[in-house]
Amino acid sequence: MLLIVIMFPFVTTGCVKYNEELKIHGTKSMNIYVTFAVNQSIVDYKFDDEKIDQLKSKGYSVKEYKSDKYKGIELKYKIRNIDKVSTNKDTTYSLTSIRNEVPDKMFKIKKSWFKNYYKANFTFDSTDIEPITVSDESLDSIEYLCDDGSVITVNQGEEIKEGCHRAYDYEIKNAKSKKPLKSEELTDKINQDNDLKFIVKLNKKAISNDADKTKHNKELTWNLKTNGITNINFEFSLYNYFHIFITLLIIVIIASGIVLLIKRIKRSKKRKKK
């Protein structure tokens, strides 16, 4: 699944809106929502239709996202029973693994008859990517940023000058400006608009969590790091409604059997008296 391939080059450089939400229902179904958008005034990035089609083929519903300067996509993925993506062994689930495979072994599960307990140990590693370039390879010429701060234009087939490298549009624009910002200043400016969040919504209060923000202990929010690893830990429980139904059904059957037995005994006593 190619979401992370599309997303991560911008996560580490700023100018990105990335919100992922897990909505876990009491029926054990779970919806995964992902909003990814880039600031078009900083990075002129176009989503590859072929990659979008591949996401759809993996089970995602995909629609366009637009808000202010941001443009991107909204994704939705449904898991019908989280027990199917759980294991009874210790597990660590990387949010970036979604780029290679469908979600699996997300939670450690401890089963009981009436209620199951789930432990999530997620990680978000913004460095777990291979950088990609943003320039179009089909162009006759491409601009490169050099170590001395200059910008050169290289035509197709020409040799690239030593000390020069591909760069994002905003880096090229900054280098060409009359008063270019230093690398740290540019990064800070770009990162000001970052909106990176991971949200979990539960049907009842979490047993434990290390979220940055909570609402009634049911809605948990983590602010994701643009550099390094964000650890995400929470625990929750869900009722086994099918088991509860079976138990109630058995109780009803046994109770009905006892009632019938008592009635038969009473009838039998009445007959003996007659």
Side-chain angles (χ1 to χ4, degrees):
M1 301 173 74
L2 299 170
L3 171 64
I4 306 302
V5 175
I6 295 172
M7 176 188 68
F8 270 92
F10 302 106
V11 172
T12 54
T13 56
C15 66
V16 68
K17 179 189 291 290
Y18 174 73
N19 294 158
E20 180 171 351
E21 177 183 309
L22 300 187
K23 192 169 185 180
I24 302 172
H25 304 278
T27 56
K28 293 188 180 181
S29 65
M30 179 173 71
N31 291 337
I32 302 176
Y33 302 94
V34 178
T35 298
F36 168 63
V38 295
N39 188 330
Q40 295 288 292
S41 66
I42 298 175
V43 176
D44 183 16
Y45 184 77
K46 295 178 175 62
F47 292 93
D48 191 319
D49 290 337
E50 183 178 345
K51 292 179 179 179
I52 296 300
D53 289 339
Q54 289 185 41
L55 285 170
K56 290 179 179 179
S57 71
K58 296 294 185 180
Y60 273 101
S61 62
V62 185
K63 65 179 182 179
E64 187 178 7
Y65 173 85
K66 283 185 178 180
S67 176
D68 299 326
K69 297 178 181 179
Y70 287 89
K71 182 179 180 182
I73 54 176
E74 289 183 328
L75 307 177
K76 179 181 176 181
Y77 188 81
K78 184 176 180 64
I79 294 173
R80 298 190 180 279
N81 188 339
I82 67 170
D83 288 357
K84 301 295 183 182
V85 294
S86 301
T87 175
N88 58 4
K89 299 178 181 178
D90 290 334
T91 183
T92 299
Y93 178 74
S94 171
L95 295 182
T96 61
S97 67
I98 200 171
R99 67 185 183 193
N100 298 319
E101 57 191 14
V102 295
D104 188 30
K105 296 181 180 178
M106 296 179 68
F107 306 100
K108 180 181 180 180
I109 184 173
K110 181 180 179 182
K111 294 183 178 181
S112 65
W113 181 253
F114 292 113
K115 186 187 290 187
N116 289 350
Y117 297 86
Y118 303 85
K119 184 176 182 180
N121 182 19
F122 296 170
T123 60
F124 178 90
D125 187 354
S126 61
T127 65
D128 184 22
I129 49 123
E130 295 180 4
I132 64 170
T133 55
V134 298
S135 299
D136 191 343
E137 294 288 356
S138 65
L139 297 176
D140 294 331
S141 62
I142 299 173
E143 290 183 311
Y144 284 76
L145 179 62
C146 301
D147 294 340
D148 61 4
S150 63
V151 176
I152 63 171
T153 301
V154 179
N155 296 317
Q156 288 286 356
E158 290 183 349
E159 187 175 344
I160 302 169
K161 180 181 175 182
E162 186 177 353
C164 299
H165 59 275
R166 298 282 287 277
Y168 291 100
D169 292 345
Y170 68 87
E171 293 176 299
I172 297 292
K173 290 177 182 177
N174 178 64
K176 286 182 174 181
S177 66
K178 294 181 180 179
K179 294 181 179 180
L181 298 174
K182 294 180 180 179
S183 177
E184 296 81 4
E185 295 173 328
L186 181 60
T187 300
D188 289 341
K189 182 179 179 181
I190 295 300
N191 284 341
Q192 285 178 356
D193 293 330
N194 264 348
D195 181 11
L196 310 177
K197 287 186 175 64
F198 179 73
I199 302 168
V200 174
K201 292 184 178 179
L202 303 167
N203 72 313
K204 62 177 184 175
K205 291 182 178 182
I207 298 171
S208 65
N209 70 86
D210 60 359
D212 296 307
K213 180 182 177 182
T214 64
K215 184 177 180 181
H216 306 305
N217 215 26
K218 291 183 178 181
E219 183 174 321
L220 317 174
T221 302
W222 286 262
N223 299 316
L224 302 175
K225 297 178 182 177
T226 56
N227 290 293
I229 297 175
T230 304
N231 293 307
I232 298 166
N233 298 280
F234 60 99
E235 295 182 52
F236 61 100
S237 63
L238 293 173
Y239 287 109
N240 291 316
Y241 288 110
F242 179 72
H243 289 176
I244 293 173
F245 171 76
I246 292 296
T247 302
L248 291 175
L249 182 61
I250 292 172
I251 291 173
V252 169
I253 291 172
I254 293 173
S256 298
I258 292 172
V259 170
L260 289 173
L261 181 61
I262 291 172
K263 286 183 177 180
R264 286 182 180 179
I265 293 172
K266 286 181 178 181
R267 287 174 185 172
S268 177
K269 287 181 178 179
K270 287 181 179 178
R271 288 174 184 174
K272 287 180 179 180
K273 287 180 179 180
K274 291 179 180 180

